[in-house]
């Protein structure tokens, strides 16, 4: 395996392997078990040894090497105070992506705050975008998502919710994944106290000017429409 692969390429490789196993429990992907097994298969001398929750102050998850004197190996940790299983599952996928694509670049480990994992902002940092692409790729493969909701169909919220349940992710993560491939003009708006925190548009919406800019501007009120 090439340790210089991008997060997306690792996701494609792993998804192909998972698709070969025709079982009724293909989804949701059991990230913890797969991270342990796959890492031992491809990097047996530097595998993931620990996956566990912990009280993490100010960040959502992290990938850390074994302490000095305890040999090689890595641990994935997630914030145990997070109540959403979907958010935890995506965090596990995100940190697994860091392990495959970035552990050589960050030998001391890497910790990720909620913005890195929840907003999927590709301008935030390349490594975080790659880790998110990996997590989305293995948890919600587009070839399966398109079967659940065709690209030209405008789904109801409960249909996206059904996909969130199928893939074991949050409603937000499922919506963001759908926006990647839909041909419908759609805009996701995340707001607080009547102001837009951030927004994401589908490609067709962007082409027609349907977007909300939130970077480098004054707080934007949620549009009345």
């Amino acid at each position: 395996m090439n340790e210089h692969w991008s997060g997306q390429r690792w996701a494609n490789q792993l998804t192909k392997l998972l698709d070969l196993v025709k079982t009724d429990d293909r989804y949701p992907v059991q990230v913890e078990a797969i991270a342990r097994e796959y890492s031992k298969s491809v990097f047996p001398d530097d595998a993931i040894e620990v996956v566990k929750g912990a009280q993490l102050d100010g960040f959502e998850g992290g990938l850390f090497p074994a302490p000095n004197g305890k040999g090689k190996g890595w641990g994935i940790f997630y914030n145990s105070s997070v109540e959403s299983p979907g958010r935890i599952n995506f965090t596990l996928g995100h940190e697994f992506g860091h392990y495959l694509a970035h552990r050589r670049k960050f030998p001391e480990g890497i910790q990720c705050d909620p913005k890195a994992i929840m907003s999927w902002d590709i301008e935030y940092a390349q490594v975080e975008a790659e880790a998110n692409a990996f997590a989305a790729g293995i948890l919600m493969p587009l070839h399966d998502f398109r079967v659940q909701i065709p690209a030209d169909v405008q789904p109801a919220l409960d249909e996206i919710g059904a996909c969130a349940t199928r893939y074991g992710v949050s409603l937000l993560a499922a919506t963001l994944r759908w926006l990647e491939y839909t041909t419908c003009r759609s805009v996701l708006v995340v707001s607080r106290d009547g102001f837009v925190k951030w927004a994401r548009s589908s490609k067709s919406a962007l082409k027609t000017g349907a977007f909300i800019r939130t970077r480098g501007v004054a707080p934007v009120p949620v549009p009345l429409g």
Side-chain angles (χ1 to χ4, degrees):
M1 295 295 177
N2 192 329
E3 294 191 53
H4 299 292
W5 282 359
S6 68
Q8 185 61 65
R9 187 167 181 183
W10 276 112
N12 293 342
Q13 174 70 20
L14 188 51
T15 295
K16 288 178 182 178
L17 294 176
L18 293 174
D19 283 344
L20 293 175
V21 182
K22 304 295 184 181
T23 63
D24 293 335
D25 58 353
R26 170 68 175 87
Y27 300 103
V29 172
Q30 303 302 312
V31 180
E32 178 176 348
I34 290 172
R36 290 175 180 271
E37 295 173 11
Y38 190 66
S39 65
K40 289 178 181 177
S41 174
V42 294
F43 303 117
D45 297 326
D46 199 28
I48 294 171
E49 304 291 346
V50 175
V51 179
K52 64 183 297 186
Q55 291 294 324
L56 305 180
D57 186 18
F59 59 103
E60 195 90 349
L63 172 74
F64 300 102
N68 291 335
K70 293 190 177 181
K72 296 184 178 181
W74 293 79
I76 289 177
F77 297 88
Y78 62 89
N79 192 339
S80 58
S81 66
V82 172
E83 297 181 356
S84 167
R87 272 181 61 183
I88 291 174
N89 206 34
F90 196 90
T91 297
L92 293 177
H94 180 97
E95 303 306 335
F96 186 23
H98 278 318
Y99 165 82
L100 290 171
H102 307 130
R103 73 186 187 285
R104 298 305 184 203
K105 187 175 183 178
F106 299 93
E108 301 301 317
I110 185 170
Q111 61 187 50
C112 307
D113 63 27
K115 179 181 178 182
I117 296 174
M118 292 182 64
S119 71
W120 296 24
D121 188 340
I122 60 174
E123 295 179 2
Y124 181 72
Q126 182 180 355
V127 293
E128 297 295 9
E130 285 194 9
N132 279 336
F134 174 84
I138 64 166
L139 293 171
M140 301 174 281
L142 288 181
H143 69 273
D144 188 81
F145 212 134
R146 289 189 178 101
V147 173
Q148 312 308 313
I149 303 177
D152 59 350
V153 171
Q154 182 78 56
L157 194 60
D158 60 349
E159 292 175 285
I160 297 181
C163 288
T165 299
R166 175 178 177 81
Y167 301 124
V169 299
S170 67
L171 181 62
L172 177 60
T175 304
L176 284 166
R177 189 60 163 164
W178 171 73
L179 283 172
E180 290 184 20
Y181 73 87
T182 182
T183 59
C184 300
R185 294 178 67 252
S186 302
V187 182
L188 166 69
V189 178
V190 179
S191 65
R192 177 176 293 172
D193 299 326
F195 290 91
V196 179
K197 291 182 64 179
W198 56 273
R200 186 66 49 82
S201 299
S202 64
K203 292 178 182 178
S204 58
L206 279 173
K207 290 179 179 179
T208 57
F211 63 89
I212 301 174
R213 192 183 306 279
T214 57
R215 282 182 168 273
V217 298
V220 179
V222 176
L224 295 178

